[in-house]
Amino acid sequence: MRNFKYTPFLLSIIMLVISITVVSDKKEVIRTNTQATTNEIAQDIRGVWVSYITLDMQNTDKSEDAFTNKINSIITKSKENGFNTLVFQVRPFCDALYESTCYPWSHILTGTQSKAPKYDPLKIICDLCHKNDISVHAWINPYRVKTEQTPKELSDNNPYSQDKSIGFEYNNCIYLDPSNEKAQKLIVNGVKEIVKNYDVDGIQFDDYFYPENCDNFDDEKYQTYKKNTDNSISKEVWRAQNVNNLIKDVYNTVHKYRDDVVFGISPQGNINNNIALGADVKTWCQNKGYIDYICPQIYFSLDNPSLTFEESLNDWLELDINKNINIYIGLAGYKGGSDEDEGTWLDNNDILKTQIEIVEKHKLDGIMLFSYESFLDETNQAEIENVANYLTGITQ
């Protein structure tokens, strides 16, 4: 009977231990399906992709002032709409929007690949964004060298021009070969020079890995691999392994030089499409040492007949993503007000806002919008206005 007087004290200790345990495992807590009671997205990533198309300087005098004005406009418009992170495409075509020893200058700056501007674009981007409390992620397309029309010509110092063994041509396009060790080293070194030389907050790969339906271009290399191993794997798994080796090397390189920089990937939203591209999203998401964040491009409406936004989101959440990996969701700003997804984007003008609310409900780590051009497109202004009002806390 005399021990009963300690019961309140013991209960207090037990409750304190439980509270500490819950808080220490924050990632598990925020991924419950409990509805958020406040607008917690304000503490998370609200990113906007800024593509090379937006950064193209062809209709300007190509000066430093023109580029600076462009970046300031992008920052101002993004902040006005409630966003806090910009993801700039700094390597779109085996080229660079920064001073590089690995890649030629991008043609989008001066009109000619390898022709240098009289300024450093990425330094301007980092300086202006951080001055305005905006985070900067450097968006890289790791393998693409050339599409059918872009750029019109590769420079003599383009890595593929100098050594065609590192890549391949397919459907009038050119790609670096994911199985080629020199190509892998080139990509890793390109990441290293960014994190060493520029004040970026993140490195991001997009959704382009092996091109779609490229069945036979690497048959000879795959057969060589099979001859040199006792326990060969299928070509599909071999391709994924080639990409995985690169992803691990990039992750290790980023954190070797800048542990305050994160490395993430933004794969296709339909999770079943990724393995055919060599994108082993399951391995990346479930294991340490590949990525710091995943941002699937769930570019579907709420009622898309073939795959809805929530169906795709649930597919990703069912991967049981490692609690150390942040989850952002890519949203299709460009589809608002369009007849995409069999016209279902025309049903309402608050689809994107509702999708952000769904992301909040699942206590994920934020969203990214494709793309900055969405802010300038008249057809989707009702959608963007609803998003901006929500993110900035303005009520109608």
Side-chain angles (χ1 to χ4, degrees):
M1 295 289 292
R2 64 185 178 184
N3 289 333
F4 285 174
K5 66 180 180 179
Y6 296 108
T7 299
F9 175 76
L10 291 174
L11 286 174
S12 298
I13 294 297
I14 291 170
M15 292 303 295
L16 177 62
V17 171
I18 291 173
S19 299
I20 292 172
T21 302
V22 170
V23 170
S24 67
D25 200 4
K26 177 186 176 186
K27 194 63 62 179
E28 186 170 332
V29 171
I30 67 173
R31 291 182 186 173
T32 66
N33 289 336
T34 303
Q35 175 67 44
T37 57
T38 61
N39 189 2
E40 294 177 358
I41 200 78
Q43 303 302 319
D44 297 332
I45 286 284
R46 288 163 284 148
V48 180
W49 279 290
V50 185
S51 78
Y52 76 91
I53 296 172
T54 300
L55 297 171
D56 198 313
M57 298 296 292
Q58 65 176 332
N59 294 321
T60 73
D61 63 6
K62 302 179 178 62
S63 66
E64 179 174 353
D65 283 346
F67 187 82
T68 299
N69 290 337
K70 182 186 286 283
I71 301 305
N72 273 325
S73 295
I74 291 169
I75 290 170
T76 299
K77 179 69 75 172
S78 299
K79 288 189 71 172
E80 286 175 353
N81 284 286
F83 291 83
N84 60 21
T85 301
L86 291 172
V87 187
F88 287 94
Q89 192 168 22
V90 301
R91 195 190 308 154
F93 295 100
C94 205
D95 53 9
L97 273 76
Y98 56 90
E99 191 167 358
S100 172
T101 60
C102 302
Y103 299 92
W105 284 102
S106 177
H107 73 281
I108 71 170
L109 298 169
T110 61
T112 303
Q113 190 174 86
S114 86
K115 183 178 179 181
K118 297 180 180 179
Y119 57 92
D120 189 330
L122 186 51
K123 185 178 187 307
I124 290 173
I125 287 170
C126 290
D127 289 348
L128 292 177
C129 283
H130 290 152
K131 181 181 177 181
N132 287 277
D133 296 321
I134 294 286
S135 296
V136 178
H137 289 215
W139 164 14
I140 291 170
N141 187 303
Y143 297 116
R144 184 173 64 193
V145 179
K146 187 180 186 302
T147 64
E148 188 171 1
Q149 301 293 332
T150 308
K152 291 182 179 180
E153 293 184 5
L154 298 181
S155 62
D156 291 340
N157 64 337
N158 186 286
Y160 180 77
S161 299
Q162 294 185 326
D163 182 1
K164 289 184 170 50
S165 73
I166 65 173
F168 61 94
E169 298 185 25
Y170 179 76
N171 279 354
N172 298 316
C173 301
I174 303 174
Y175 306 88
L176 295 181
D177 182 354
S179 71
N180 184 280
E181 292 183 2
K182 289 187 289 185
Q184 291 182 9
K185 185 176 181 181
L186 170 69
I187 297 166
V188 172
N189 285 340
V191 170
K192 179 171 70 175
E193 65 183 3
I194 293 176
V195 296
K196 286 183 66 177
N197 298 331
Y198 294 93
D199 189 20
V200 297
D201 302 291
I203 298 288
Q204 184 184 118
F205 282 4
D206 56 21
D207 56 322
Y208 290 97
F209 297 96
Y210 278 87
E212 295 182 13
N213 304 316
C214 58
D215 294 332
N216 303 317
F217 84 92
D218 55 354
D219 276 353
E220 184 175 342
K221 291 186 176 182
Y222 175 64
Q223 293 304 323
T224 299
Y225 152 77
K226 289 179 67 175
K227 289 178 182 178
N228 294 328
T229 183
D230 294 331
N231 299 302
S232 62
I233 52 182
S234 69
K235 181 188 280 190
E236 184 179 77
V237 175
W238 173 74
R239 284 179 171 178
Q241 192 175 83
N242 293 330
V243 175
N244 284 350
N245 289 338
L246 172 69
I247 301 304
K248 288 173 66 176
D249 285 348
V250 168
Y251 176 89
N252 290 331
T253 297
V254 168
H255 291 289
K256 177 181 178 180
Y257 293 97
R258 289 277 304 281
D259 205 43
D260 60 333
V261 173
V262 294
F263 172 51
I265 299 179
S266 181
Q268 289 196 16
N270 186 334
I271 201 167
N272 297 320
N273 288 348
N274 284 289
I275 194 61
L277 307 177
D280 184 7
V281 296
K282 183 176 181 179
T283 293
W284 305 342
C285 289
Q286 293 182 342
N287 300 280
K288 292 183 179 180
Y290 288 90
I291 55 175
D292 296 299
Y293 72 81
I294 194 78
C295 182
Q297 299 171 19
I298 306 185
Y299 293 168
F300 314 117
S301 71
L302 298 171
D303 300 304
N304 181 30
S306 57
L307 182 65
T308 70
F309 176 84
E310 290 190 84
E311 287 170 342
S312 179
L313 176 60
N314 288 333
D315 287 341
W316 284 94
L317 296 181
E318 286 174 4
L319 282 183
D320 191 24
I321 296 173
N322 188 290
K323 66 182 181 181
N324 295 297
I325 295 172
N326 284 342
I327 309 173
Y328 311 131
I329 302 301
L331 305 179
Y334 69 97
K335 285 187 175 181
S338 76
D339 60 359
E340 295 277 352
D341 298 347
E342 299 190 28
T344 51
W345 284 90
L346 297 172
D347 293 345
N348 295 287
N349 61 17
D350 63 351
I351 295 172
L352 293 170
K353 170 183 170 291
T354 302
Q355 291 176 345
I356 294 173
E357 291 175 323
I358 292 169
V359 171
E360 286 185 347
K361 181 187 75 173
H362 288 283
K363 300 293 187 76
L364 305 183
D365 302 297
I367 53 98
M368 292 188 179
L369 186 78
F370 189 84
S371 67
Y372 175 78
E373 295 297 318
S374 302
F375 298 151
L376 311 178
D377 185 353
E378 293 182 0
T379 62
N380 62 356
Q381 286 312 291
E383 281 277 2
I384 295 302
E385 184 176 348
N386 281 324
V387 168
N389 288 341
Y390 184 70
L391 293 182
T392 57
I394 299 172
T395 57
Q396 295 289 352

